[in-house]
Amino acid sequence: MNKSDNLFNLAGKRGFFFPSAEIYGSKAGFWTYGHLGTLMKRKWENLWRNFFLKLGENYFEIEDCNILPREVFQSSGHLQHFNDPIVESVKSKEKFRADELIEEKTGIKAEEFDAGQLDALIKKHNIKAPNGENLGKVQMFNMMFDLKVGAFGKDIMMLRPETAQSAYLSFKREFNALREKLPFGLAVVGKAFRNEISPRQGFYRLREFTQAELQIFFNENEMDKCKDWDLVKKYKIKINDKKILASKLKLPKFYVYHMVQIQKFYLDLLKIPKDKFRFRELNEKEKAFYNKIHYDIELKLDSLKGWKEVAGLHYRTDYDLTNHQKGSKEKLEVNIDGKKIIPHVLELSFGVDRNVWGLIDIFYKEEKERTLFNFNKNVAPVEVAVFPLVNKDKLPDKAMEVYDLLKDDFGVFYDCKGSIGRMYRRMDEVGCLAMITIDHETLKNKTVTLRDRDSMKQIRVKINKLKDVLDKFLDGEKLSKLGKVI
Ligand code: GAP
């Protein structure tokens, strides 16, 4: 089995995620987060909120409906442009994404080619369906889901394909309700839906997924200004395989400032190894139809055979607000220093599920005797586990006392099922950092053992010092500095 299979097996077995509605035979692209996956996803989302919403004192979060009127997507351009190229095998009528088949066979990135160009490539390289059949003509297929709403289903509404539109629709009201000042940020962490043609890559291309997106509305004239420029200008940004000084990039300062912040989020908070993170600029053909500047954030994922997009930094100009103003006939311009302007938008767009998968891939380790995730405490679904050494002699009662002592300050899991060795292995497999065991000595001298997931070494700690020691240990202090290794 390869790494991807091992990861899927482990993720399902331990309760990170598994196919939705699996007892009925699941549909591709729909997943359930189990208890560990949910803890991890919430952690990631809260880290994201705490980091990006604090970049501006005028940045806020809103929540909106997943179902929006069709007119919204007429104005946003999604009805016309949000298409994927679909191609069928002639006999069995199986459907594939034409650009993916071409990329798999030839390595040519064909995501933004039109149907004619794709047909030509299929012909030139004699590309067949994976089952060996010939392919028909490429057709464009709109990826939005529509819904019939109301008793007789007269109204057609759409499931939003990106959370961004919710921020544009709420912009004027929130701008007025808040400080009427730019830059002004509106974030949405919520579901998006895309009728992906062939969500074959497991957890990567989903039909229902979560995005965390921050739309920053700003004055176009201020794009090359940045009040914190001095703090970031010497930072080296990783673009492809080069590290480039922020001040050397030929991009507006406001854009570069956010590149730096995104890189810090990945390297400092999520602790992604430097060689597994990069920005990649998209060329004119690859860029989304609304973007003027577009860099993707990519992680190197072994399970998906290379660099994969997990987020994007998009300069969307005034495209969205201008089109919604036209479509809705509501004025969306604002008054800044006596002048009426339509703000421009910088969008920080993250796919939460892809990021969770990225962490699971990057921190997965196979050792001789065990498999583990070496997550840091910011992303680990469980930080501390508490076990009685044996399930008798009043040790479980004492272990519950220790669990109660810790549960308000740490993400703690209590376990008493099986031998201590098996409990350790199970916790290694979910990436828990610290394991506390209550043994017979605990009853005598009020100490417990603390085991480090990574080195598997242990120290003894007094229960009344345990919180303090755990704080330091989870912050990265070496076990040997916190006590005598036994
Ligand atoms: N609002 C801009 C936008 O939606 P996008 O590049 O289409 O831009 C942004 O999507 C992010 O959402 C991607 O970088 C990716 O992480 C995530 N994403 C997009 N489609 C996805 C899918 N089918 N399954 C899982 N995540 C997806």
Side-chain angles (χ1 to χ4, degrees):
M1 274 205 297
N2 60 29
K3 180 169 173 182
S4 186
D5 293 335
N6 291 347
L7 272 176
F8 270 102
N9 286 343
L10 189 58
K13 182 171 93 177
R14 288 284 168 242
F16 283 92
F17 48 77
F18 38 86
S20 173
E22 63 182 342
I23 60 169
Y24 285 99
S26 46
K27 296 266 180 235
F30 297 98
W31 292 85
T32 300
Y33 279 89
H35 63 290
L36 292 175
T38 304
L39 286 168
M40 215 171 149
K41 181 167 183 270
R42 294 283 172 274
K43 265 195 161 180
W44 191 97
E45 289 168 354
N46 287 332
L47 271 183
W48 185 91
R49 286 188 173 97
N50 284 333
F51 186 83
F52 288 104
L53 286 175
K54 285 188 185 143
L55 292 182
E57 74 291 351
N58 204 21
Y59 293 2
F60 304 90
E61 184 178 355
I62 58 167
E63 185 173 318
D64 191 23
C65 298
N66 293 328
I67 303 173
L68 294 171
R70 193 173 185 277
E71 293 77 0
V72 170
F73 302 104
Q74 183 71 47
S75 301
S76 71
H78 284 86
L79 282 175
Q80 306 88 301
H81 302 296
F82 201 56
N83 299 318
D84 264 354
I86 187 171
V87 65
E88 273 184 351
S89 54
V90 284
K91 270 198 197 147
S92 55
K93 302 285 174 208
E94 246 191 283
K95 293 174 184 51
F96 306 94
R97 258 183 74 161
D99 56 326
E100 284 185 355
L101 286 184
I102 291 170
E103 192 174 336
E104 273 164 29
K105 183 84 192 259
T106 65
I108 298 171
K109 283 208 179 291
E111 204 175 330
E112 293 304 318
F113 288 3
D114 63 29
Q117 290 169 307
L118 295 167
D119 277 331
L121 281 171
I122 289 176
K123 198 166 166 208
K124 181 171 170 200
H125 296 279
N126 191 24
I127 295 171
K128 308 265 184 224
N131 59 12
E133 287 179 30
N134 286 334
L135 293 165
K137 284 255 176 245
V138 175
Q139 290 171 38
M140 286 304 184
F141 166 80
N142 192 282
M143 289 202 292
M144 274 188 297
F145 288 101
D146 53 21
L147 294 169
K148 290 182 185 152
V149 176
F152 296 99
K154 273 203 198 139
D155 282 338
I156 299 293
M157 294 179 77
M158 323 294 294
L159 283 172
R160 63 182 180 194
E162 57 168 1
T163 63
Q165 296 304 321
S166 294
Y168 308 143
L169 299 174
S170 313
F171 165 71
K172 194 64 187 287
R173 186 182 276 277
E174 286 289 337
F175 184 79
N176 292 338
L178 288 153
R179 300 195 187 95
E180 301 196 323
K181 213 177 94 186
L182 298 177
F184 172 56
L186 284 182
V188 181
V189 178
K191 291 280 188 177
F193 303 83
R194 298 184 188 179
N195 197 0
E196 299 282 358
I197 297 165
S198 55
R200 282 179 296 155
Q201 292 175 322
F203 206 67
Y204 182 74
R205 204 178 283 292
L206 312 185
R207 286 175 163 145
E208 174 172 343
F209 56 100
T210 302
Q211 289 186 316
E213 296 194 302
L214 173 62
Q215 312 298 323
I216 306 174
F217 301 90
F218 66 96
N219 185 340
E220 183 192 7
N221 298 334
E222 311 265 301
M223 194 162 181
D224 206 25
K225 295 185 187 152
C226 170
K227 72 178 169 49
D228 292 325
W229 183 243
D230 282 347
L231 298 178
V232 300
K233 66 183 182 194
K234 292 202 177 126
Y235 196 88
K236 286 193 177 145
I237 301 178
K238 172 105 182 290
I239 300 180
N240 296 333
D241 55 355
K242 295 205 171 69
K243 287 188 201 136
I244 306 177
L245 213 57
S247 58
K248 290 259 154 58
L249 279 174
K250 291 188 175 51
L251 290 166
K253 287 186 177 141
F254 195 58
Y255 190 92
V256 176
Y257 171 79
H258 288 92
M259 290 179 99
V260 171
Q261 297 305 338
I262 290 172
Q263 184 165 317
K264 284 187 168 179
F265 177 70
Y266 278 95
L267 302 191
D268 302 348
L269 279 185
L270 301 179
K271 309 274 186 210
I272 300 295
K274 285 193 183 106
D275 60 338
K276 291 194 181 258
F277 170 92
R278 74 175 187 189
F279 281 97
R280 185 175 76 84
E281 185 178 14
L282 273 68
N283 64 36
E284 281 309 316
K285 287 204 157 165
E286 291 173 309
K287 268 187 219 170
F289 60 89
Y290 41 75
N291 285 334
K292 190 156 171 195
I293 307 178
H294 186 160
Y295 279 76
D296 273 347
I297 292 89
E298 297 186 335
L299 299 180
K300 195 172 187 186
L301 304 180
D302 294 345
S303 63
L304 295 172
K305 301 189 181 72
W307 292 100
K308 288 286 168 185
E309 171 203 349
V310 292
L313 179 60
H314 310 147
Y315 170 37
R316 295 178 72 133
T317 68
D318 59 350
Y319 174 88
D320 299 277
L321 289 186
T322 300
N323 283 316
H324 283 308
Q325 175 164 283
K326 250 191 243 158
S328 67
K329 304 198 173 46
E330 287 286 331
K331 286 262 172 272
L332 297 180
E333 57 198 12
V334 295
N335 198 327
I336 299 293
D337 301 330
K339 257 177 112 184
K340 289 209 160 128
I341 63 162
I342 296 228
H344 281 225
V345 171
L346 182 68
E347 173 184 63
L348 284 64
S349 173
F350 296 72
V352 179
D353 318 86
R354 282 190 189 176
N355 275 278
V356 170
W357 178 256
L359 296 171
I360 286 180
D361 175 292
I362 287 173
F363 293 108
Y364 176 71
K365 297 275 164 305
E366 284 178 2
E367 292 180 354
K368 222 170 163 195
E369 290 166 18
R370 61 175 188 160
T371 49
L372 71 152
F373 290 106
N374 58 357
F375 297 133
N376 78 78
K377 73 157 188 187
N378 290 339
V379 299
V382 181
E383 293 155 17
V384 180
V386 177
F387 323 117
L389 179 67
V390 286
N391 217 350
K392 56 183 185 183
D393 304 338
K394 299 214 169 111
L395 297 187
D397 294 345
K398 195 70 194 164
M400 271 319 277
E401 261 177 50
V402 174
Y403 170 81
D404 284 338
L405 174 80
L406 301 176
K407 70 180 182 203
D408 291 338
D409 297 287
F410 305 95
V412 195
F413 185 79
Y414 175 84
D415 196 3
C416 60
K417 196 163 164 257
S419 71
I420 190 72
R422 290 180 75 122
M423 290 194 280
Y424 283 155
R425 288 288 177 272
R426 273 205 296 271
M427 285 295 118
D428 289 340
E429 279 190 356
V430 305
C432 171
L433 291 99
M435 293 161 222
I436 309 290
T437 304
I438 283 66
D439 55 16
H440 294 95
E441 245 185 284
T442 311
L443 303 179
K444 288 186 211 147
N445 63 9
K446 297 190 180 140
T447 63
V448 293
T449 61
L450 160 58
R451 173 186 180 268
D452 168 21
R453 173 199 63 203
D454 294 342
S455 66
M456 295 191 274
K457 301 223 160 89
Q458 300 184 26
I459 57 173
R460 277 207 94 83
V461 182
K462 281 203 162 22
I463 293 178
N464 62 6
K465 297 258 165 60
L466 191 55
K467 276 193 198 179
D468 191 37
V469 170
L470 276 173
D471 269 333
K472 290 186 179 136
F473 176 71
L474 295 177
D475 278 344
E477 188 125 356
K478 282 236 161 353
L479 198 69
S480 54
K481 288 221 161 151
L482 294 166
K484 189 162 168 281
V485 175
I486 47 178

